[in-house]
């Protein structure tokens, strides 16, 4: 096994572990909403987008039609446009041939891991990481739908923290290195809190506005670092 | 309930589109320095907004449980690093606090 493959599994296992409980929750909720096993499976297998799958279930229950739900999904997932824009500057030459596959697996957590990996991203690394994420999401969904009723409620509730912990754990090495990163993270979180409280933007757009504003402000601070890297 | 397959396919399309289009747009082009600096800041800005304030509602009945779990992740992660233990540990701590609270 090459170092690249080992690194990819090392990075992929935590995503798998974080996704299983979140997907179990999705499986349980789907069953509770009365959708079929096949539909529940397809949600995870074809859409593969955590937050919007949960939101879709909520909206289905409120009786919203497919048009409204699809529009909401677009709004909620539009943040991935910005994430892919970043990743597209990072993938290696060979990996570029596989953008149609790679794009499918750009989730928040995959993006977060990829963005802090040093150097160009190889197709091996990206695919192993995305497959770990995908298999965790699918197996959790299936488990949740089938076994949901048997798991203690308090356990499934506590699993809700897993994805947040995953994001924080991915972020910590970056935070340790740079005070600027700490400031940007907290500023982004505060801005998001304010925007949600103001309640003027549709679901998912508060995050997009935060990324646009905070990354614009941040770009003035990191411009020097970028130059350093170019010079290396 | 009606057949959900068309809905699922529609959702898949509007999820895949935004994930794919930037790859098609930027591939093989050199980005200006200012844009590069902006793109570089996206990860940190995104993760900040993904965690806050959502985490305070991760265990809605008892926000303290999720916050304790995250405190474990923060402390252990800063101390020893890694991802698996910080993640599993946060679930364990959250479980424990929820258990005590019930």
């Amino acid at each position: 096994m090459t170092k690249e493959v080992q690194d990819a599994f090392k990075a992929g296992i935590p995503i798998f572990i974080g996704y299983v409980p979140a997907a179990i929750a999705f499986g349980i909720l789907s069953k509770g909403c009365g959708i079929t096993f096949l539909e529940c499976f397809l949600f995870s297998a074809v859409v593969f987008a955590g937050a919007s799958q949960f939101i879709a279930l909520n909206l289905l229950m409120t009786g919203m039609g497919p048009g409204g739900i699809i529009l909401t999904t677009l709004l909620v997932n539009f943040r991935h446009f910005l994430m892919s824009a970043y990743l597209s500057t990072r993938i290696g030459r060979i990996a570029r041939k596989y953008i149609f596959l790679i794009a499918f697996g750009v989730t928040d957590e995959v993006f977060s891991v990829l963005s802090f990996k040093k150097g160009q991203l190889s197709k091996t690394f990206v695919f192993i990481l995305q497959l770990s994420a995908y298999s965790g999401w699918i197996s959790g969904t299936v488990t949740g739908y089938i076994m949901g009723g048997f798991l203690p409620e308090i356990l499934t509730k506590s699993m809700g923290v897993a994805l947040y912990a995953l994001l924080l754990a991915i972020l910590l090495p970056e935070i340790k290195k740079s005070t600027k990163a700490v400031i940007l993270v907290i500023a982004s979180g505060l801005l998001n809190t304010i925007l949600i409280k103001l309640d003027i933007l549709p679901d998912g757009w508060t995050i997009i506005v935060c990324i646009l504003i905070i990354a614009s402000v941040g770009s003035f601070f990191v411009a020097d670092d970028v130059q350093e890297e170019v010079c290396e | 309930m009606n057949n959900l397959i068309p809905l699922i396919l529609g959702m898949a399309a509007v999820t895949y589109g935004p994930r794919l289009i930037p790859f098609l747009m930027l591939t093989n082009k050199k980005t200006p320095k200012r844009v590069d600096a902006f793109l570089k800041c996206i990860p940190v800005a995104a993760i900040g907004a993904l965690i806050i304030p959502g985490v305070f509602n991760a265990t809605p009945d008892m926000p303290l449980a999720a916050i304790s779990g995250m405190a474990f992740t923060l402390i252990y992660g800063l101390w020893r690093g890694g991802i698996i233990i910080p993640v599993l540990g946060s679930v364990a701590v959250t479980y424990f606090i929820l258990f005590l609270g019930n």
Side-chain angles (χ1 to χ4, degrees):
Chain A
M1 216 164 34
T2 65
K3 176 101 184 2
E4 187 79 348
V5 175
Q6 275 180 353
D7 284 352
F9 275 109
K10 249 192 221 162
I13 291 167
I15 297 195
F16 181 93
I17 291 173
Y19 272 18
V20 168
I24 287 178
F26 178 75
I28 294 173
L29 271 175
S30 308
K31 197 173 184 186
C33 293
I35 73 174
T36 67
F37 176 74
L38 176 70
E39 287 162 347
C40 169
F41 173 80
L42 285 178
F43 261 117
S44 286
V46 186
V47 182
F48 189 36
S52 58
Q53 289 180 220
F54 282 100
I55 292 169
L57 288 184
N58 274 331
L59 295 178
L60 271 175
M61 291 300 102
T62 66
M64 187 189 267
I69 298 177
I70 290 170
L71 181 64
T72 308
T73 306
L74 176 65
L75 298 180
V76 169
N77 286 338
F78 203 76
R79 66 179 183 280
H80 293 141
F81 183 90
L82 294 169
M83 298 182 186
S84 283
Y86 170 77
L87 290 179
S88 70
T89 66
R90 295 281 319 279
I91 56 169
R93 208 162 40 82
I94 300 167
R96 286 197 179 174
K97 288 188 206 140
Y98 300 92
I99 50 171
F100 289 95
L101 269 177
I102 290 173
F104 177 75
V106 179
T107 63
D108 296 334
E109 293 75 18
V110 164
F111 157 79
S112 303
V113 169
L114 289 178
S115 56
F116 294 136
K117 166 119 171 63
K118 295 285 159 260
Q120 277 206 332
L121 301 169
S122 72
K123 73 169 201 303
T124 313
F125 189 87
V126 176
F127 280 148
I128 291 176
L129 193 70
Q130 292 187 329
L131 270 178
S132 318
Y134 193 60
S135 54
W137 191 246
I138 303 276
S139 56
T141 301
V142 171
T143 309
Y145 195 92
I146 297 172
M147 304 259 305
F150 301 104
L151 294 170
E153 200 191 346
I154 187 171
L155 181 63
T156 54
K157 272 187 186 162
S158 47
M159 286 171 173
V161 81
L163 284 185
Y164 294 107
L166 178 61
L167 289 172
L168 179 62
I170 292 167
L171 190 62
L172 282 178
E174 218 49 33
I175 283 183
K176 258 173 131 172
K177 273 189 303 194
S178 137
T179 327
K180 284 177 210 158
V182 184
I183 295 169
L184 291 179
V185 166
I186 294 173
S188 191
L190 284 178
L191 180 60
N192 195 30
T193 310
I194 294 167
L195 290 173
I196 289 174
K197 283 265 186 297
L198 287 178
D199 200 20
I200 39 174
L201 292 163
D203 268 347
W205 276 73
T206 59
I207 293 179
I208 293 171
V209 171
C210 288
I211 295 175
L212 290 174
I213 293 178
I214 300 296
S216 302
V217 174
S219 68
F220 288 96
F221 295 108
V222 300
D224 307 332
D225 306 355
V226 174
Q227 196 165 18
E228 277 162 33
E229 252 178 49
V230 172
C231 296
E232 269 165 19
Chain B
M1 192 172 295
N2 298 326
N3 179 10
L4 294 182
I5 308 289
L7 167 71
I8 292 169
L9 293 179
M11 283 178 61
V14 297
T15 301
Y16 185 58
R19 287 177 180 176
L20 176 66
I21 292 165
F23 283 106
L24 299 174
M25 282 172 11
L26 286 172
T27 298
N28 289 327
K29 275 180 217 143
K30 194 87 190 117
T31 45
K33 209 169 74 187
R34 168 64 55 204
V35 176
D36 206 43
F38 169 77
L39 292 172
K40 248 183 130 105
C41 288
I42 290 180
V44 179
I47 297 177
L50 285 169
I51 296 178
I52 306 170
V55 67
F56 300 113
N57 206 27
T59 47
D61 311 336
M62 197 183 174
L64 178 70
I67 294 167
S68 309
M70 290 296 274
F72 171 83
T73 307
L74 182 69
I75 293 164
Y76 188 92
L78 285 175
W79 177 46
R80 301 299 291 266
I83 292 186
I84 296 178
I85 296 178
V87 170
L88 289 181
S90 75
V91 176
V93 171
T94 305
Y95 179 86
F96 184 67
I97 303 287
L98 280 176
F99 183 76
L100 288 183
N102 275 12

